[in-house]
Amino acid sequence: MLPLAAANADFRCRDGNLINTGDSMSYLMNKCGSPMSQSDLVNNFGAVIGQRLRYEDRNDSSWVYVVDIYSGKVTRVVTERQ
């Protein structure tokens, strides 16, 4: 049985490009295109500290990759059920 979420896992875009933690946001967008959705990550004071992007799994649309971006870099990838 697969877990419902896997933290810090790398992922492949729909066209097969591999995205790793540490890759730049521009590399991610260049290789994977626009995400399904994008939202700001804010701290307790309401300041924007990063972005959260959601990409659909390339093999199974019932899964999404949630990618956190801080300082322009991929810092976390979590797989979740839609």
Side-chain angles (χ1 to χ4, degrees):
M1 178 179 268
L2 293 173
L4 291 181
N8 295 324
D10 301 325
F11 79 100
R12 290 195 181 274
C13 305
R14 285 208 164 268
D15 63 1
N17 287 305
L18 182 63
I19 301 301
N20 299 295
T21 55
D23 287 342
S24 70
M25 184 173 175
S26 60
Y27 178 84
L28 167 67
M29 300 288 276
N30 184 42
K31 294 299 181 182
C32 295
S34 298
M36 296 170 33
S37 66
Q38 179 174 342
S39 58
D40 290 333
L41 297 171
V42 295
N43 66 14
N44 293 338
F45 303 103
V48 175
I49 58 171
Q51 289 79 38
R52 177 162 287 159
L53 311 175
R54 296 173 63 86
Y55 285 91
E56 194 170 72
D57 183 277
R58 68 189 190 123
N59 296 316
D60 182 351
S61 63
S62 65
W63 292 92
V64 294
Y65 296 107
V66 180
V67 182
D68 288 350
I69 308 288
Y70 291 96
S71 299
K73 301 282 185 189
V74 173
T75 58
R76 185 176 83 124
V77 177
V78 177
T79 308
E80 295 180 348
R81 277 230 187 253
Q82 286 201 77

